[in-house]
Amino acid sequence: MRTVGTQAIGIRTPIISQGDNLPEIVSSSILGYCTEAGAEIRDKDIIGVTEAVVARAQGNYATTEQIAADVRSKFPSGPVGLVFPILSRNRFSVLLRGIAAGVDQLYIQLSYPADEVGNHIISPELLYSAGINPYTDVFTEAAFRARFPDLKHEFTAIDYLELYRQVGNNATIILANDPCEILKYTKQVIAADVHTRAQTKRSLLTGGAEKAIDLADLLNKSVAGSGYNEQYGLLGSNKADEGRIKLFPHSCEAFVSDVQRLILEKTGATVEVLVYGDGAFKDPVGKIWELADPVVSPAFTAGLLGLPNELKLKYLADNEIADKRGEEARAAIVQRIENKALNLMGKDETGGTTPRRLSDLVGSLCDLVSGSGDKGTPVVLIKGYFDNYASK
């Protein structure tokens, strides 16, 4: 019996710059690893490439001035509300600077005790012990700070209320979890949340907003020579420097096809390829959900469509082969896997398997392997992901 299952390997590459031929760099780096490790690329291996280097190679950047210009084109005059921005220096501080520069007066409404991806302003336990109901209670910044003077994040030591008020120097901050609270200040609103933006906009428009857009409506086309993303706009962007952001990459379908084609030409193997961003998983200690990108993977080849079709080995071991041991048990499991149905959805023997799309599972694995710091492995090679206990 084979003793190794799935392997995920971080692949180092040269530093990627704007204009680089990224498909060639990715394929060459993969083959360089194979030479170094004595490995072989096989059909159904998976190559993941982080969205950051795809966007950098594309030169998909925008300045705060370009963001401000697009905001001003959407809201020519009057105060504007910004509802439910995530709490992040990397993800939102530069966006906030650009948005604030594009409006006459900005009202920022923060959700509490946390944003939608788990960045906490304050611990829920402190709120509940103070008798505060986050579903109904509304605070000005001053009133909230009077109740809770120390609002530094336990991991970053950042006071996000202070940071956001300083970055948006024409901003007033309120804390409330009903998006319509902002309508007491202005009828022009930007919904800044990521995954709940459609519901937020619907609530605002139903509640009396004259105009409500979301971050996907900003920089969804080039503004004064800026980068852009037709589908996601400012969603998925990151800080490049104090006056510039890197946008989520565009045209990723062509990129994954190019990498797949190059690997086929160089090795004869048909691999699957995806571009990945944030993985989707929750840290039970830090409480962050992690997925600040609009999707885990903006593009992937056809073999990563759909859901896993897997049996739950623990279920089989505890039920169908509970009376078997050793080689007899192994042979029974192998036979069961080899004869499993093509669609196991809803079957008892799948209970407990992870109900997530293949692209989300693989993208999350890639994100964990490559990390977000200085590992220098923006490419991940995954071998054996589609194998199972019966694979020879």
Side-chain angles (χ1 to χ4, degrees):
M1 186 179 77
R2 216 172 74 193
T3 58
V4 176
T6 301
Q7 297 172 285
I9 304 132
I11 305 296
R12 288 185 177 155
T13 69
I15 300 300
I16 308 301
S17 300
Q18 181 174 343
D20 283 349
N21 185 341
L22 190 57
E24 180 61 40
I25 291 172
V26 170
S27 60
S28 297
S29 298
I30 291 288
L31 295 182
Y33 157 75
C34 290
T35 299
E36 179 183 314
E40 178 185 2
I41 299 299
R42 297 180 177 177
D43 289 344
K44 303 299 288 183
D45 283 352
I46 302 170
I47 297 171
V49 184
T50 180
E51 58 83 20
V53 296
V54 180
R56 187 177 302 125
Q58 292 174 343
N60 203 24
Y61 292 88
T63 65
T64 53
E65 290 81 10
Q66 290 163 333
I67 296 169
D70 202 12
V71 171
R72 181 64 74 178
S73 74
K74 305 291 196 301
F75 303 101
S77 63
V80 174
L82 183 69
V83 176
F84 302 156
I86 62 174
L87 303 173
S88 171
R89 291 168 294 172
N90 176 46
R91 289 288 187 172
F92 207 80
S93 64
V94 179
L95 293 187
L96 178 56
R97 187 174 289 114
I99 292 168
V103 301
D104 297 328
Q105 175 66 35
L106 186 64
Y107 291 93
I108 302 173
Q109 181 176 328
L110 300 177
S111 57
Y112 76 98
D115 67 15
E116 65 169 321
V117 296
N119 297 303
H120 276 66
I121 294 173
I122 192 170
S123 75
E125 291 76 14
L126 279 175
L127 287 185
Y128 300 139
S129 63
I132 291 172
N133 184 347
Y135 297 101
T136 59
D137 294 346
V138 177
F139 293 90
T140 64
E141 180 187 2
F144 197 78
R145 197 173 292 282
R147 298 288 295 269
F148 307 104
D150 183 8
L151 295 175
K152 289 183 178 179
H153 191 278
E154 63 175 326
F155 288 167
T156 66
I158 298 297
D159 182 327
Y160 285 99
L161 270 67
E162 178 70 17
L163 174 67
Y164 278 20
R165 184 167 43 76
Q166 289 180 350
V167 169
N169 55 16
N170 56 345
T172 299
I173 294 176
I174 64 171
L175 296 97
N177 289 311
D178 178 355
C180 291
E181 191 67 28
I182 199 71
L183 300 177
K184 295 176 181 177
Y185 300 84
T186 175
K187 304 297 185 184
Q188 302 183 114
V189 188
I190 301 169
D193 41 349
V194 180
H195 306 290
T196 53
R197 61 190 184 275
Q199 301 95 298
T200 298
K201 281 203 299 186
R202 189 180 306 117
S203 295
L204 290 165
L205 292 169
T206 302
E210 295 171 2
K211 186 170 188 178
I213 67 171
D214 64 47
L215 294 181
D217 298 315
L218 294 168
L219 288 194
N220 53 12
K221 60 183 179 180
S222 181
V223 174
S226 74
Y228 67 95
N229 187 296
E230 289 181 342
Q231 184 174 4
Y232 297 119
L234 289 177
L235 292 170
S237 59
N238 285 275
K239 175 180 177 180
D241 54 45
E242 290 302 325
R244 199 170 53 130
I245 60 164
K246 176 191 62 58
L247 292 148
F248 215 43
H250 56 72
S251 309
C252 292
E253 293 81 3
F255 170 76
V256 297
S257 295
D258 286 346
V259 174
Q260 186 181 56
R261 174 183 53 78
L262 281 173
I263 294 294
L264 179 62
E265 291 173 357
K266 294 180 177 184
T267 70
T270 300
V271 299
E272 304 300 337
V273 184
L274 79 160
V275 175
Y276 65 92
D278 274 351
F281 41 79
K282 183 170 183 177
D283 177 353
V285 176
K287 303 181 181 68
I288 190 170
W289 179 33
E290 178 66 17
L291 185 57
D293 288 325
V295 289
V296 174
S297 175
F300 44 86
T301 50
L304 294 174
L305 281 168
L307 306 172
N309 190 54
E310 299 176 339
L311 297 167
K312 188 72 170 180
L313 289 193
K314 289 191 293 186
Y315 177 87
L316 299 182
D318 288 337
N319 291 272
E320 296 185 14
I321 65 159
D323 60 336
K324 296 178 173 58
R325 297 289 184 276
E327 176 57 27
E328 185 183 13
R330 188 200 69 81
I333 289 288
V334 168
Q335 183 179 35
R336 187 69 167 80
I337 293 172
E338 290 177 339
N339 293 298
K340 68 182 178 182
L342 294 177
N343 186 353
L344 292 167
M345 186 177 292
K347 304 293 185 182
D348 287 345
E349 57 266 39
T350 68
T353 57
T354 305
R356 291 176 62 190
R357 300 185 307 173
L358 283 168
S359 58
D360 293 338
L361 289 164
V362 172
S364 297
L365 173 59
C366 288
D367 188 34
L368 285 168
V369 171
S370 63
S372 59
D374 57 7
K375 289 184 172 58
T377 54
V379 175
V380 176
L381 173 64
I382 302 174
K383 302 183 70 63
Y385 189 84
F386 294 101
D387 290 357
N388 57 44
Y389 190 75
S391 298
K392 302 293 192 292

